[in-house]
Amino acid sequence: MSLYWAPRAWLGGGWAERVLLRVGGDGQWAEVAPGVTAPAQAEVLPGPVLPGLVNAHSHAFQRAFAGLAEGRESDTDDFWSWRDRMYRVALRITPAQLRAIAAMLYAELLRGGYTQVCEFHYLQHRPDGRPYDDRLELSWALADAAAEAGIGLTLLPVLYQRAGFTQPALRDDQRRFAADSGAVRELQRGVAGASRPLLNAGVAIHSLRAAEPAAIAALLDGLGDVPVHIHAAEQTAEVDDCLQATGRRPIEWLCAHAAPDARWQLVHATHAAPAEIAAVAQSGAGIVICPSTEANLGDGLTDMPGWLNAGVPLAIGSDSHVTRAWPEELRWLDYGQRLQRRQRNVCAAPAEGLPSTAARLLQRALHGGGRAAGFGRWGLQPGARADLLLIDTADASLLGMPEDRLLDALVFSSPGDPFRDVMVAGRWVPRDRTAVAARFAAAMRALWNEA
């Protein structure tokens, strides 16, 4: 066992003083006790601590495209034109390049305060569309990258069959994505059966437009208690196409026909009507919001007060990885609502005793993120994995801040580097990423200089 003592720690939605943290031999918290004088055998941490967060939605290979689509040469640019350009990366990347890019990404996510990432993994085959000899080749590239970085990984192989509601097959530039329900179940079992440390597996459905209802039913039949993620209602065109094809909006159709439950995560859920929010709340499913990517792609803004007030579990993700730190995601989660509604602190709830926007969003993201990754317990509590973030109060964004405003400053003050050290499963994550960065740079040069 390892024993730590923190002057302050985030427990149960607020700061607690003088907290003893004991790590068990299984890498989980064996004891979390506030109001304790530091024992002589404990390591005294030089600052307050937060739990690590789950990044509940990631496409790791898209890290290679971040910053490379920020201009246009046509009259308009939107999600669909971005997607066509993004496929250029998907068609070129090799397993070794994917590992190099994912290792860099996962190291960045750790520095940004995430200790677990849910990988929505639809890149499955060789560039010509043929399967690899080991169908898990690209899954292992991601798992190896996560192990090298030291982050936990929930791998979600994706059901991906068609290019749209009226297109029975994939486009040629989607050939690396093909996976039916049987293939997804096989991939999930292969990853889960590997019994690697810090690795678990669920399943994903790319979207209603990309998967037939019968295949969704086959995937879910007897699946068991594992996470189920799906892109839902990200774009207005998707909503319109779904209405035309099925007579229902995407979230409406899912709630009526797919019986979502507490295993489910609806990713983006951008264009949700009030009745759909109520239906999701009744189902027990959660949502995953990716504010920086949704802004970058021009998706739109979801009804955050509606989701929060309905009690729907909330997780956050960085999706295409234009940003890679959770404070920025939480900041923009509220900033988008402020811009739309011309109000401030939209996501706070003073009537419920939650006047701090940052505190309310952090606590919801902690709870919802743990569920999204398949954990029954998450955060600084006995039985949860022993993850924590050691805050650097000397960082410029936090320097001189009153203790009771530290979290507000961490989220809403100027971006900085607020996490001095990161622990995952009771082990401190190394800070030196020189070799990881060198391999990432080489992979980027190979991908883009050959174009």
Side-chain angles (χ1 to χ4, degrees), residues 241-282:
D241 288 349
C242 191
L243 276 167
Q244 185 172 0
T246 72
R248 292 179 183 264
R249 298 164 61 88
I251 298 174
E252 179 188 16
W253 189 96
L254 282 170
C255 291
H257 295 286
D261 54 30
R263 298 172 300 171
W264 282 66
Q265 300 294 323
L266 310 186
V267 181
H268 301 304
T270 311
H271 303 286
E276 292 176 299
I277 293 175
V280 174
Q282 186 173 9

Side-chain angles (χ1 to χ4, degrees), residues 315-364:
I316 58 167
S318 58
D319 194 353
S320 67
H321 307 297
V322 290
T323 63
R324 297 171 289 281
W326 64 253
E328 188 161 359
E329 300 295 347
L330 293 189
R331 178 164 61 250
W332 279 102
L333 192 59
D334 201 69
Y335 276 4
Q337 302 295 315
R338 298 183 190 200
L339 288 166
Q340 182 184 47
R341 300 166 187 267
R342 291 173 288 178
Q343 300 173 5
R344 298 192 70 251
N345 291 305
V346 174
C347 294
E352 300 175 23
L354 298 167
S356 167
T357 298
R360 190 186 190 201
L361 291 178
L362 173 66
Q363 199 58 28
R364 295 292 289 268

Side-chain angles (χ1 to χ4, degrees), residues 31 36 44 128 157 288 341 351 366 380:
E31 181 183 5
V36 176
V44 175
D128 62 6
V288 182
R341 300 166 187 267
L366 281 168
L380 300 179

Side-chain angles (χ1 to χ4, degrees), residues 1-4 21-25 29-31 41-43 423 426:
M1 290 194 179
S2 300
L3 193 62
Y4 301 94
L21 300 149
R22 187 187 305 273
V23 181
W29 294 120
E31 181 183 5
Q41 67 271 33
E43 178 181 343
M423 177 186 289

